[in-house]
Amino acid sequence: METKGRIHTLETFGLVDGPGVRTVIFLKGCRLRCKYCHNPDTWSGEGELWTAPQLFERVKRYKPYWRNNGGITVSGGEPLLQSAFVTELFTLAKKESIHTALDTAGEPFSLDSSFLESFDRLMAVTDLVLLDLKLMDEKGHRELTGSGNRNILEMARYLSDKGKKMWIRHVLVPGITDDENDLISMRDFISSLKTVERVEVLPYHTLGLMKWRELEIDYPLEGVPVPTEEQIRKAKELLCII
């Protein structure tokens, strides 16, 4: 029986989700409920079904634009909820020497052996993991997302121990994810990892607000401003990336 994935949308010329020009595949389904989520329409697991070969044939037509340093990024939703499908897709990509990146918040990760068996198969065909670290504080993370973060931090350590390349991404929300002490804790944690190639601060924006309204969901960060250039600079400084 063919594995099928639930697809939300494709972005054919992504420039911010991994190295080079990339085709970004957004999957459906996520158990987190981040208050600043700009894609709440991906929360539901319902979506258009594709087989991995069908999707690969669709995206590889953009291969000439990727050149030598681009490739395919799978994002979400949460792609780890469709691990078998992504593994099959990435396996097809690696057969044609295409760079693969996984954009994840890490929420499904578990050190349980049954999960790790599937996860390791996926990592074997994944060149780069883009890991979203939201907060270090457990209570704050739960208030922001509806879930704790211990297993997410475990995932980062696991990837580091396994030698898997990572980019760390942090969404900066004024008054919520910009606490100085939390950013220092995040910096210290990142410094303990051996395979982090890049750390990115992603400024909070309200471009997804219309989706919340269309879905008739109350937006919990109504009135929260986007970060100023000074706030962005300070966060980068605390995270030691400037």
Side-chain angles (χ1 to χ4, degrees):
M1 182 178 296
E2 291 184 316
T3 303
K4 292 185 177 180
R6 295 192 179 274
I7 310 302
H8 179 253
T9 51
L10 302 180
E11 181 182 342
T12 54
F13 297 102
L15 297 173
V16 296
D17 295 302
V21 177
R22 310 189 70 79
T23 296
V24 185
I25 302 161
F26 295 91
L27 303 185
K28 293 277 286 191
C30 186
R31 297 194 293 235
L32 294 178
R33 292 297 179 263
C34 301
K35 292 181 178 180
Y36 55 73
C37 181
H38 62 277
N39 283 323
D41 48 341
T42 66
W43 290 350
S44 167
E46 299 177 359
E48 185 177 358
L49 285 170
W50 294 64
T51 67
Q54 285 173 334
L55 184 58
F56 183 66
E57 288 301 313
R58 169 69 182 274
V59 301
K60 79 172 186 178
R61 69 179 67 173
Y62 305 106
K63 189 175 181 179
Y65 300 99
W66 304 335
R67 299 186 178 178
N68 295 326
N69 65 335
I72 297 171
T73 298
V74 174
S75 185
E78 174 48 66
L80 289 181
L81 294 177
Q82 301 191 57
S83 180
F85 173 76
V86 181
T87 299
E88 188 174 342
L89 177 68
F90 279 4
T91 298
L92 293 171
K94 296 316 299 175
K95 287 179 180 178
E96 298 199 19
S97 301
I98 296 170
H99 187 275
T100 56
L102 184 79
D103 182 11
T104 175
E107 181 274 332
F109 183 81
S110 169
L111 290 174
D112 182 82
S113 59
S114 61
F115 179 88
L116 285 181
E117 184 178 347
S118 172
F119 184 74
D120 286 344
R121 285 197 296 269
L122 174 56
M123 289 300 100
V125 288
T126 301
D127 293 309
L128 174 68
V129 175
L130 311 177
L131 179 60
D132 183 12
L133 292 185
K134 303 173 191 300
L135 281 169
M136 295 299 293
D137 179 70
E138 170 83 11
K139 180 180 178 181
H141 193 279
R142 193 172 295 278
E143 290 174 353
L144 178 63
T145 71
S147 180
N149 65 347
R150 292 181 183 178
N151 64 319
I152 296 169
L153 302 181
E154 285 176 346
M155 176 175 159
R157 296 187 190 99
Y158 185 84
L159 292 173
S160 174
D161 291 344
K162 293 291 185 178
K164 183 59 58 180
K165 295 177 181 178
M166 283 183 278
W167 288 9
I168 302 296
R169 315 175 97 184
H170 175 68
V171 178
L172 188 70
V173 186
I176 299 177
T177 67
D178 63 345
D179 178 77
E180 181 172 330
N181 290 329
D182 199 81
L183 289 171
I184 291 172
S185 294
M186 186 174 293
R187 177 196 69 201
D188 292 343
F189 176 73
I190 293 171
S191 297
S192 73
L193 305 174
K194 297 172 287 190
T195 57
V196 175
E197 295 187 331
R198 181 169 177 171
V199 181
E200 297 179 325
V201 171
L202 308 179
Y204 163 72
H205 61 74
T206 58
L207 298 178
L209 178 56
M210 187 59 67
K211 294 182 180 180
W212 288 73
R213 292 172 177 168
E214 290 173 353
L215 294 169
E216 298 183 344
I217 307 173
D218 291 335
Y219 187 62
L221 299 187
E222 194 78 51
V224 173
V226 300
T228 65
E229 289 298 321
E230 175 58 23
Q231 288 171 321
I232 296 169
R233 185 203 64 77
K234 182 179 179 182
K236 289 181 176 181
E237 186 177 73
L238 290 169
L239 290 173
C240 294
I241 55 178
I242 60 172

